[in-house]
Amino acid sequence: MSAHCQLTGSKPGFGNKISHSHRRTSRRFDPNIQRKRYWLPGEGRSVRLTLSARAIKTVDSIGVEAAVARIRARGGKV
């Protein structure tokens, strides 16, 4: 599963690990991605979305219909 949120579009960030001796090596900061299933009453079916934890809170506040509309407006497939 790719670390990519369908609603917010958040992707991994890249940076450096810095050891005690201050050597730098590459690392990756992944967003907290979860797969969550929602019921779409307008379409009479359920959808499984790949969302970050922050996006799950956004869906709870704006509703699943509005969230799916935003995902489709970004060009995402639901």
Side-chain angles (χ1 to χ4, degrees):
M1 174 172 60
S2 68
H4 174 69
C5 177
Q6 288 180 300
L7 182 61
T8 62
S10 62
K11 300 181 284 196
F14 295 90
N16 289 314
K17 289 182 189 175
I18 302 180
S19 68
H20 180 69
S21 64
H22 219 66
R23 282 183 67 107
R24 294 163 191 249
T25 55
S26 292
R27 66 159 293 178
R28 179 174 148 148
F29 297 90
D30 284 328
N32 186 5
I33 297 294
Q34 311 290 326
R35 284 182 58 100
K36 192 152 169 62
R37 194 170 161 182
Y38 290 100
W39 176 254
L40 272 179
E43 298 181 16
R45 67 184 182 107
S46 62
V47 292
R48 181 165 286 158
L49 302 176
T50 305
L51 301 171
S52 63
R54 187 180 76 181
I56 290 173
K57 294 175 188 175
T58 303
V59 171
D60 290 343
S61 67
I62 67 172
V64 68
E65 297 279 348
V68 167
R70 283 189 193 180
I71 291 170
R72 287 181 174 147
R74 293 183 71 229
K77 183 180 173 189
V78 178

